[in-house]
Amino acid sequence: KTHQDVTVTRRRSPLGKDDVKGCAMIELLRRDDSLLGLTVTGGVDKECRPYLSGLRPGSIAYRSDTLAVGDNIVSVNGIKTASLKHEEIVNLLKNAGERLLLGVEYEMPESPIRSGFSVQCKTLDVLLSRDDGGFGVTVRGGYEEDALKSRPLTITHVRPGSSADREGSVRPGDRIIALNGLDLSKTSYDEFTSVLKQCGDDLVTRVEYDVSIMETVNAAQGPLLVEMSKTPYSKLGLTLNSKIINGKNVIYLDAIRPASVGDRCGALQVGDQLLSINGHGVDHMNLTEATHMLLNGVVQLKLEVMPVRQLPYNPRDVQTGSTGMNAHSTMLNRERGSRSGFNSSARIPTGSRFISGIQRWRMKR
């Protein structure tokens, strides 16, 4: 992975709910007696437009990473569905043969201009591998001549258990800006899917993701309490270090992995001193004990840190050796094969408040 050092800070302004729909032609190839795995609801006799109400896990449609529950079915192998009854649509799907061409209409990704908070946009190159047909991410959006309909190519879903999910870096809301070095800024959705088909089994994907910037956090005085949620495969992405400084064992953040939960939350900085984990002080813990507590924590993880800007020194700059200080380090990225980590939404948090003198920073999905 390559993390880009150049980042951009942009101000986002309020925008109402998007009414713009996207359209795409989705090709599914059925081999042998494999199940398509589509559940369709609606039709003229059901008083609602036909739409995908379910995707069976493990099926062709599910593994294609091209469809999503809620997508409207506009056509089946060129036959319009607007005037068809539910049973007629189902029969078209059943009798589609080996090649099914679905015309779908879907909700466009939210416009990047969507809130009044500041965010820092970072980019990261992620190696994704094809498995079971797709790369494990569902993408929506794409360039359109009409600026009102144009959206970044945005990841809307990461398939659980896929290679993208196991890799652990990409999240819904991330934008894909390049594939194998090919710039996608002027690429439509159909062109994007065409590029994917031509790619091999490994794909270098450059994604753009957001790190929130909150003035209340930067201006806070005293310890900061950061709350995050634990989910499978996600990576906390913190490197802890410990040193004996002035006779006291100090555990601090030595590095933060790009696009990890620790990076995306925007509240943690390299050099921050760790004070407690889920209410347990680390004063008398060694590095191994602190690591064990992080990996075996409850669903909600609470880290209390003293921001480095409030410390009289940066722990990373304190020299060891002649003063007799000791240093140790550990990575929290890959324990248990990356099956246990901590996840938080890349969305901007809803707010923060002071509680007992501690600035609380809660990440919500």
Side-chain angles (χ1 to χ4, degrees):
K1 300 174 186 176
T2 303
H3 181 244
Q4 306 300 305
D5 293 326
V6 179
T7 59
V8 206
T9 302
R10 66 185 182 218
R11 179 69 63 178
R12 292 181 166 170
S13 56
L15 186 71
K17 178 177 174 60
D18 292 324
D19 294 322
V20 179
K21 301 282 188 178
C23 298
M25 298 301 296
I26 305 298
E27 182 184 48
L28 298 178
L29 299 177
R30 177 161 48 188
R31 297 177 178 85
D32 303 323
D33 295 325
S34 324
L35 293 176
L36 286 174
L38 298 172
T39 302
V40 177
T41 298
V44 292
D45 56 329
K46 302 296 182 181
E47 299 183 348
C48 71
R49 297 181 64 191
Y51 68 93
L52 284 177
S53 55
L55 294 171
R56 176 181 287 189
S59 66
I60 295 172
Y62 180 81
R63 290 182 280 108
S64 73
D65 299 318
T66 56
L67 296 167
V69 171
D71 288 351
N72 289 115
I73 305 298
V74 178
S75 66
V76 179
N77 282 349
I79 301 175
K80 302 290 186 181
T81 62
S83 60
L84 299 182
K85 295 181 180 179
H86 175 74
E87 186 176 354
E88 292 173 324
I89 299 170
V90 171
N91 287 334
L92 282 177
L93 293 171
K94 286 182 177 179
N95 300 314
E98 294 182 355
R99 180 177 181 268
L100 173 64
L101 190 62
L102 282 180
V104 300
E105 188 178 78
Y106 56 86
E107 295 286 343
M108 290 291 279
E110 195 175 36
S111 171
I113 306 175
R114 62 178 181 263
S115 74
F117 294 107
S118 288
V119 295
Q120 186 179 46
C121 300
K122 297 184 177 181
T123 59
L124 177 72
D125 287 346
V126 181
L127 179 62
L128 298 180
S129 299
R130 191 188 297 274
D131 60 356
D132 292 332
F135 288 94
V137 293
T138 302
V139 177
R140 293 290 191 245
Y143 175 78
E144 297 284 349
E145 291 293 339
D146 184 348
L148 294 177
K149 296 182 179 180
S150 193
R151 296 287 188 277
L153 289 161
T154 305
I155 295 173
T156 58
H157 178 69
V158 178
R159 176 160 44 94
S162 66
S163 62
D165 188 29
R166 296 192 302 271
E167 195 282 332
S169 294
V170 296
R171 303 279 190 277
D174 292 352
R175 284 82 60 193
I176 297 180
I177 60 177
L179 292 177
N180 289 341
L182 176 66
D183 178 51
L184 301 179
S185 58
K186 297 291 185 179
T187 303
S188 68
Y189 179 80
D190 287 339
E191 291 170 337
F192 169 75
T193 56
S194 178
V195 171
L196 279 185
K197 290 179 181 178
Q198 298 172 28
C199 292
D201 291 336
D202 294 316
L203 186 65
V204 179
T205 307
R206 177 162 296 178
V207 297
E208 180 185 66
Y209 64 97
D210 294 337
V211 174
S212 51
I213 302 174
M214 295 290 289
E215 294 179 2
T216 51
V217 171
N218 294 331
Q221 296 298 315
L224 189 68
L225 184 62
V226 183
E227 299 184 6
M228 293 173 281
S229 301
K230 178 179 179 182
T231 61
Y233 294 117
S234 58
K235 295 177 173 66
L236 181 58
L238 303 180
T239 301
L240 291 185
N241 224 8
S242 69
K243 293 180 180 178
I244 304 299
I245 302 177
N246 296 328
K248 180 181 178 181
N249 184 47
V250 173
I251 298 177
Y252 61 94
L253 305 184
D254 192 49
I256 300 177
R257 173 181 172 145
S260 66
V261 176
D263 181 30
R264 289 171 184 266
C265 81
L268 299 172
Q269 301 293 326
V270 169
D272 288 351
Q273 182 179 346
L274 184 62
L275 301 180
S276 72
I277 303 169
N278 291 336
H280 299 280
V282 300
D283 289 351
H284 302 292
M285 290 185 192
N286 59 34
L287 199 58
T288 301
E289 292 168 336
T291 301
H292 180 78
M293 180 163 286
L294 280 173
L295 294 177
N296 294 277
V298 294
V299 173
Q300 290 293 325
L301 174 72
K302 298 180 181 179
L303 295 182
E304 184 183 354
V305 300
M306 180 62 75
V308 62
R309 57 183 168 74
Q310 297 187 48
L311 296 174
Y313 51 80
N314 186 328
R316 299 179 78 237
D317 297 335
V318 175
Q319 299 298 314
T320 61
S322 60
T323 58
M325 299 178 183
N326 300 314
H328 310 278
S329 65
T330 186
M331 285 294 294
L332 302 178
N333 290 342
R334 297 181 294 273
E335 295 87 349
R336 297 184 176 179
S338 299
R339 287 184 177 269
S340 290
F342 304 90
N343 187 28
S344 59
S345 169
R347 294 179 182 177
I348 306 301
T350 57
S352 57
R353 56 195 175 99
F354 283 100
I355 298 181
S356 302
I358 297 177
Q359 178 72 18
R360 182 179 296 269
W361 177 259
R362 179 181 290 111
M363 297 299 296
K364 298 182 178 179
R365 295 192 69 83

